[in-house]
Amino acid sequence: MIRINENFLSMEKNYLFIDIAKRLAAYTAAHPDKPLIRMGIGDVTLPLAPAVVTAMKKAADEMGVKETFRGYEDSGAGYAFLREAISGYYKTLGADVSTDEIRVNDGAKSDCGNITDIFSRDNTVLMTDPVYPVYADSNRMAGRNILYADSDESNGFAAMPDKYVRADIIYLCSPNNPTGSVYTKEQLEKWVAYALVSEAVIIYDSAYEAFITDPSIPRSIYCIEGAKRCAIEMCSLSKTAGFTGVRCGYTVIPDELVVKASDGRDVKLADLWARRQGSKFNGVSYPVQRAAEAVFTEEGQRQIRENIHYYQRNAMVIANTLDELGIKYTGGINSPYIWLKCPGGMGSWEFFDYLLDKVQVVGTPGEGFGRNGCGWFRLTSFNSYENTVEAMARLKTLDI
Ligand code: MLT
């Protein structure tokens, strides 16, 4: 008789953002005359940069011509032209990442979830709470033991390692989803030192690095000495370049990241990941990889920067409103997310329903990201400027 993976039975019925989408669909069906302003899921609203569109169209045309048509990409790691562009980009961040250490993917979410395939189920996993649900969900599906490091008001939502806690796999995200907090260089040095001493691996999600405005904040874990011996980095063009509907990102596994197998052999994690991807992933389409390459050109960088500035202006509108209303928050400066304390002691789902019902503004309840998110709420700066201004004007009409 078939047996199911019963780890799924102990999980919430839906992924957080699917759950919210269902609630919103029900609300809209019941109130068709009340349009929503969506500041919940981190989905961008500005169109792709012109340089990206031109590159994608040109590549699509090439695919329609016998001489330039392409089938499978042989290495499975992504075309060299894109990996070279990404490697060059890392140099601008002050990190040395070679072309061979990069694998192109269809966005950070897949790799964040799939990377667990290369690790034994027996590992203990450490992640912050609140946390991007993908890290927790994928390890719960695999039945791994998860420990949580509290990120809360007392530490500025930037949990630090505890030398009395033993972990094998550590998830870090900076700028953080959902709290918008960032790790300083000194804090990341402590995490790297902890991982090296514990012989643990850090899975570092840098999907929001392009939103960092403070030049002292590292935009890659590889800006930290020793990180190449203990960290895997995942990044995405979803928020940086508006690729949420295009799908492209990259994972870096350095050559120096070598671990011992139970028989004493040294094993390069990059080799395991290449083996896993070779069997289970056929790569990203040629037009998408050409579009991604365009992001890293001078013109592409200038154009995507304009879009990022647009969202940063929205973040400022939100922050100014919260200041005016005397509501506590973090994020918004180095991040597209604003993490606010629900007013009047409301619970986070209670505040979600309240905002939806009274002013049709949608955010994400902090509780969906973990225990420390209770009483907190996430807003994104990814809507249009006009909608952001309107949403904040509506917030000011409330008795909060
Ligand atoms: C978010 O809003 O946190 C993410 O963009 C949603 C997701 O990737 O699942």
Side-chain angles (χ1 to χ4, degrees):
M1 191 180 81
I2 184 76
R3 279 173 295 164
I4 57 166
N5 177 352
E6 299 210 354
N7 294 317
F8 281 78
L9 302 183
S10 63
M11 300 175 69
E12 300 78 23
K13 187 157 179 288
N14 292 313
Y15 178 59
L16 174 65
F17 293 103
I18 304 273
D19 188 22
I20 292 173
K22 287 189 173 178
R23 287 172 190 240
L24 298 183
Y27 183 88
T28 305
H31 306 90
D33 54 324
K34 292 186 174 173
L36 305 176
I37 301 183
R38 292 172 189 262
M39 302 169 82
I41 192 165
D43 196 4
V44 291
T45 50
L46 290 174
L48 293 171
V52 168
V53 175
T54 304
M56 202 185 316
K57 279 185 180 163
K58 182 166 175 282
D61 285 342
E62 285 175 39
M63 294 293 274
V65 175
K66 189 171 185 305
E67 288 70 28
T68 49
F69 167 78
R70 306 207 185 204
Y72 289 126
E73 183 272 304
D74 288 340
S75 77
Y79 287 103
F81 61 75
L82 176 54
R83 289 184 291 123
E84 277 159 20
I86 296 167
S87 171
Y89 178 70
Y90 266 108
K91 281 197 184 64
T92 69
L93 305 185
D96 180 23
V97 170
S98 76
T99 306
D100 292 342
E101 294 173 316
I102 298 165
R103 293 189 77 90
V104 174
N105 60 36
D106 61 352
K109 187 175 182 175
S110 316
D111 281 16
C112 279
N114 294 333
I115 194 76
T116 57
D117 274 9
I118 67 170
F119 298 113
S120 158
R121 207 183 67 86
D122 303 333
N123 287 297
T124 295
V125 187
L126 177 65
M127 57 189 73
T128 59
D129 175 335
V131 70
Y132 178 40
V134 177
Y135 318 151
D137 284 358
S138 43
N139 283 289
R140 286 168 73 194
M141 287 171 191
R144 273 192 201 92
N145 179 33
I146 304 178
L147 304 176
Y148 293 96
D150 287 328
S151 279
D152 53 29
E153 265 187 289
S154 71
N155 56 24
F157 291 98
M160 292 304 294
D162 176 344
K163 65 179 177 192
Y164 300 110
V165 171
R166 205 199 59 80
D168 308 301
I169 302 171
I170 302 158
Y171 285 83
L172 297 178
C173 177
S174 177
N176 188 265
N177 180 10
T179 69
S181 64
V182 279
Y183 280 121
T184 63
K185 185 162 186 282
E186 294 67 34
Q187 288 174 319
L188 284 179
E189 281 166 353
K190 288 194 177 132
W191 274 110
V192 167
Y194 171 78
L196 289 172
V197 167
S198 322
E199 297 183 59
V201 168
I202 295 174
I203 297 169
Y204 190 77
D205 183 347
S206 65
Y208 301 93
E209 59 81 15
F211 289 82
I212 293 176
T213 51
D214 179 344
S216 74
I217 303 291
R219 288 173 56 184
S220 162
I221 187 91
Y222 303 123
C223 296
I224 308 299
E225 211 179 312
K228 288 193 100 177
R229 285 183 284 122
C230 66
I232 294 173
E233 181 161 293
M234 297 182 176
C235 197
S236 161
L237 298 182
S238 285
K239 319 296 158 91
T240 304
F243 271 49
T244 51
V246 176
R247 310 306 312 152
C248 195
Y250 44 95
T251 289
V252 177
I253 307 190
D255 277 342
E256 292 107 289
L257 188 37
V258 176
V259 300
K260 284 253 180 270
S262 57
D263 63 5
R265 256 187 302 172
D266 282 336
V267 178
K268 280 171 75 173
L269 284 188
D271 290 345
L272 296 192
W273 183 236
R275 184 67 186 82
R276 189 267 175 212
Q277 292 296 78
S279 290
K280 294 197 184 181
F281 184 61
N282 259 344
V284 176
S285 75
Y286 175 68
V288 166
Q289 292 198 52
R290 279 293 184 201
E293 179 193 24
V295 170
F296 299 102
T297 60
E298 212 180 306
E299 193 190 13
Q301 284 292 300
R302 188 177 41 73
Q303 292 171 352
I304 64 148
R305 277 275 138 217
E306 277 172 25
N307 290 0
I308 289 170
H309 288 148
Y310 178 92
Y311 296 132
Q312 285 168 332
R313 182 170 66 142
N314 289 348
M316 213 183 306
V317 170
I318 301 169
N320 290 343
T321 305
L322 297 178
D323 283 337
E324 230 177 278
L325 294 172
I327 296 175
K328 256 193 197 163
Y329 64 92
T330 61
I333 297 169
N334 293 302
S335 159
Y337 295 128
I338 282 114
W339 180 247
L340 62 102
K341 194 164 196 165
C342 301
M346 266 190 256
S348 47
W349 281 107
E350 192 187 349
F351 190 54
F352 172 88
D353 287 334
Y354 177 78
L355 280 190
L356 183 61
D357 186 46
K358 298 275 186 228
V359 288
Q360 291 76 52
V361 171
V362 180
T364 309
E367 206 174 319
F369 299 99
R371 196 171 51 86
N372 287 315
C374 292
W376 290 77
F377 198 75
R378 194 192 76 174
L379 289 176
T380 86
S381 57
F382 287 125
N383 211 311
S384 67
Y385 177 72
E386 293 71 22
N387 278 348
T388 306
V389 169
E390 170 62 19
M392 293 304 105
R394 291 188 196 177
L395 225 68
K396 286 187 206 168
T397 65
L398 294 170
D399 184 23
I400 50 179

